[in-house]
Amino acid sequence: MRITTNAIIRNYKSNLGTSISALNTARDKVMTGRQFASAAENPTGALRSSILERKYVKTLDHISSAKDAQSFLDSQESAAMQISDLALTLTKQYGLEALNGSTASPEIRKSYADAWRSSQDSLLLSMNASYEGKYVFAGSDGKNPPFSLSKDPATGKQILTYRGLDVNDPANKAKLEELSKDTTYVDLGFGLSTNGGVIDPSSAFNTSLPGINLIGFGQDDDGDSKNMILLAGQIADVLEKEPFDKAEYENLLNKFEAGRNNVLENVTTLGTKSSFLENSLTRLEDNKLGLSTQLDSVVNIDMADAITQFSWAQYAYNAALKVGTNILSPSFIDFMR
C-alpha cells in the first residue's frame, strides 16, 4: 500500500486538531470546575442537573419559609407568655390581696381597680404585637392592628373590637366564630395541594393564631364577657363599686383565671407547632445536603482527576508538536546534487 506525503500530513493535522481539542476541553474543566459547559456535551447530565437545581432552589425557599415561620411563632409565644405572666400576677397577687381582710378598704380596692385597668392596656399591647410589620394575632389580616379598646360615650361601657367587630355583641357571634378559624398557610415542602381552590391543611403549615382564640370572645350564660381584656375592666368596676360584692368579684376572678388557663393551653400548642417546625427544618436541611451532594456528583469535577487529565492532554499535545518536526522523512530529492 502506497502512503503519500499528503496523506501523512492530512492525518497528522487531524490528530493534532484532536489533541488541541482534548487539551482545550481538559483546560476548561479545570478552570470552570464543571464536567460540561453545555447541554450538548452531556444531555443526560444536563437534564439531571436541571432537575436537581430546581429541587435545590425550592428546598432553599422552604428553609427560608420555615425559619420565618419559626420566628413568627416565637413572637406569638412570647406575647402569649407575657399575657399569661400578667394574668398570673393579677389573679394570684392583686386578686387575692384585694380580698384580704386587712387591706379590703375602699381606698385599697380602688388602687387595685386602677391596676386592673392599667393591665387592660398591657394586655391590648401584647395582643397587638407584631413581627416584621405583621400583627401576629390578626389571622390573615396582618397589616392592621387586630384589637381596639374604646368606651361608649353614651353608656360609658367599654367596647373591644377584633378586626372591627365588637367581641361582646351577640350579633357578631357567627362572624367572630368564622374569624376564629382563620388560617395562613406556609409551604414547607409537604407537597402543597388544593381541593376546589382550598388548600389541603395536611399539605401546608398554618401559622395563624387569631387573637380571639387566645383571650376569648362572646358572653357566657351569666352575661359576663369571655374576653380577658373586658373581664379585667369588669373586675375593676366591681372593686370600685360600693358596697363591695365579694361573691361577684370571686366569680369574675375565677373566669379570668379560666381565661389564663386557655392562654396556657395555646402556649402549649404553640410549643408543639414550634417543635414540628424544628423537625421540619432539620428534614429540609438534610434534603439540602443530599441534593447538594447529588448535584456535585453530576455537575462538578474531581479537581485532582481533572488536573491529571489536563496534564496528560498537555503532554500528548506537546508530543504531537515534536512529532510534527519529523513528519517528513528524507526523500530521493534530498540526495540529489
Side-chain angles (χ1 to χ4, degrees), residues 69-185:
Q70 181 68 72
S71 297
F72 190 76
L73 254 65
D74 288 344
S75 298
Q76 289 178 332
E77 187 173 359
S78 176
M81 285 304 302
Q82 289 177 0
I83 293 171
S84 176
D85 292 342
L86 177 58
L88 180 63
T89 300
L90 290 169
T91 55
K92 300 304 181 184
Q93 183 178 342
Y94 298 161
L96 295 179
E97 287 178 0
L99 287 173
N100 190 297
S102 62
T103 59
S105 65
E107 293 76 14
I108 295 298
R109 285 197 297 271
K110 177 64 170 62
S111 66
Y112 284 119
D114 292 339
W116 279 93
R117 294 200 189 284
S118 297
S119 71
Q120 288 185 292
D121 294 332
S122 299
L123 291 171
L124 187 65
L125 286 173
S126 295
M127 293 309 302
N128 285 338
S130 63
Y131 168 74
E132 292 188 350
K134 183 178 180 180
Y135 293 94
V136 299
F137 296 125
S140 59
D141 181 21
K143 294 182 179 180
N144 301 301
F147 289 96
S148 176
L149 182 64
S150 60
K151 184 176 289 188
D152 188 335
T155 63
K157 182 180 178 181
Q158 286 188 321
I159 299 175
L160 181 72
T161 60
Y162 175 74
R163 294 173 66 170
L165 298 173
D166 185 346
V167 299
N168 251 22
D169 190 344
N172 296 330
K173 182 179 179 181
K175 293 181 180 179
L176 288 170
E177 287 180 347
E178 184 178 349
L179 288 176
S180 71
K181 301 173 184 176
D182 202 5
T183 56
T184 304
Y185 288 110

Side-chain angles (χ1 to χ4, degrees), residues 171-225:
N172 296 330
K173 182 179 179 181
K175 293 181 180 179
L176 288 170
E177 287 180 347
E178 184 178 349
L179 288 176
S180 71
K181 301 173 184 176
D182 202 5
T183 56
T184 304
Y185 288 110
V186 176
D187 182 12
L188 297 182
F190 302 128
L192 182 66
S193 61
T194 59
N195 184 11
V198 179
I199 295 177
D200 181 359
S202 64
S203 67
F205 183 80
N206 182 24
T207 61
S208 176
L209 175 56
I212 50 177
N213 291 348
L214 191 66
I215 60 172
F217 66 96
Q219 296 179 343
D220 60 20
D221 295 337
D222 298 331
D224 296 322
S225 177

Side-chain angles (χ1 to χ4, degrees), residues 22-331:
L23 176 61
N24 186 59
T25 300
R27 181 188 295 111
D28 287 344
K29 287 184 178 181
V30 173
M31 292 176 64
T32 63
R34 295 175 60 91
Q35 295 188 27
F36 52 88
S38 65
E41 294 180 30
N42 189 345
T44 303
L47 177 60
R48 190 180 176 197
S49 69
S50 177
I51 294 172
L52 289 172
E53 284 174 355
R54 286 198 296 270
K55 289 183 177 180
Y56 185 79
V57 171
K58 283 185 178 180
T59 300
L60 292 180
D61 288 340
H62 294 151
I63 288 174
S64 177
S65 297
K67 289 181 177 179
D68 286 343
Q70 181 68 72
S71 297
F72 190 76
L73 254 65
D74 288 344
S75 298
Q76 289 178 332
E77 187 173 359
S78 176
M81 285 304 302
Q82 289 177 0
I83 293 171
S84 176
D85 292 342
L86 177 58
L88 180 63
T89 300
L90 290 169
T91 55
K92 300 304 181 184
Q93 183 178 342
Y94 298 161
L96 295 179
E97 287 178 0
L99 287 173
N100 190 297
S102 62
T103 59
S105 65
E107 293 76 14
I108 295 298
R109 285 197 297 271
K110 177 64 170 62
S111 66
Y112 284 119
D114 292 339
W116 279 93
R117 294 200 189 284
S118 297
S119 71
Q120 288 185 292
D121 294 332
S122 299
L123 291 171
L124 187 65
L125 286 173
S126 295
M127 293 309 302
N128 285 338
S130 63
Y131 168 74
E132 292 188 350
K134 183 178 180 180
Y135 293 94
V136 299
F137 296 125
S140 59
D141 181 21
K143 294 182 179 180
N144 301 301
F147 289 96
S148 176
L149 182 64
S150 60
K151 184 176 289 188
D152 188 335
T155 63
K157 182 180 178 181
Q158 286 188 321
I159 299 175
L160 181 72
T161 60
Y162 175 74
R163 294 173 66 170
L165 298 173
D166 185 346
V167 299
N168 251 22
D169 190 344
N172 296 330
K173 182 179 179 181
K175 293 181 180 179
L176 288 170
E177 287 180 347
E178 184 178 349
L179 288 176
S180 71
K181 301 173 184 176
D182 202 5
T183 56
T184 304
Y185 288 110
V186 176
D187 182 12
L188 297 182
F190 302 128
L192 182 66
S193 61
T194 59
N195 184 11
V198 179
I199 295 177
D200 181 359
S202 64
S203 67
F205 183 80
N206 182 24
T207 61
S208 176
L209 175 56
I212 50 177
N213 291 348
L214 191 66
I215 60 172
F217 66 96
Q219 296 179 343
D220 60 20
D221 295 337
D222 298 331
D224 296 322
S225 177
K226 294 181 180 179
N227 182 270
M228 293 180 68
I229 295 178
L230 293 178
L231 271 175
Q234 287 182 255
I235 291 172
D237 290 339
V238 171
L239 286 170
E240 291 175 337
K241 186 178 178 181
E242 292 296 335
F244 175 58
D245 190 336
K246 182 178 179 181
E248 184 181 4
Y249 176 75
E250 290 179 331
N251 181 43
L252 292 175
L253 200 60
N254 290 333
K255 292 177 180 179
F256 190 84
E257 174 67 15
R260 187 181 79 88
N261 292 334
N262 179 66
V263 172
L264 289 175
E265 289 177 6
N266 278 275
V267 170
T268 302
T269 301
L270 286 172
T272 302
K273 294 174 72 173
S274 182
S275 297
F276 177 80
L277 272 181
E278 290 177 2
N279 293 333
S280 298
L281 191 56
T282 300
R283 174 185 59 82
L284 290 169
E285 292 288 356
D286 290 341
N287 287 348
K288 173 187 171 184
L289 180 60
L291 289 170
S292 177
T293 301
Q294 293 181 58
L295 194 58
D296 181 70
S297 65
V298 173
V299 175
N300 298 328
I301 60 170
D302 181 344
M303 189 57 72
D305 180 63
I307 292 175
T308 301
Q309 294 295 330
F310 172 69
S311 298
W312 173 253
Q314 190 165 32
Y315 174 79
Y317 174 67
N318 291 337
L321 291 178
K322 291 182 180 179
V323 169
T325 61
N326 299 318
I327 197 167
L328 293 179
S329 59
S331 66

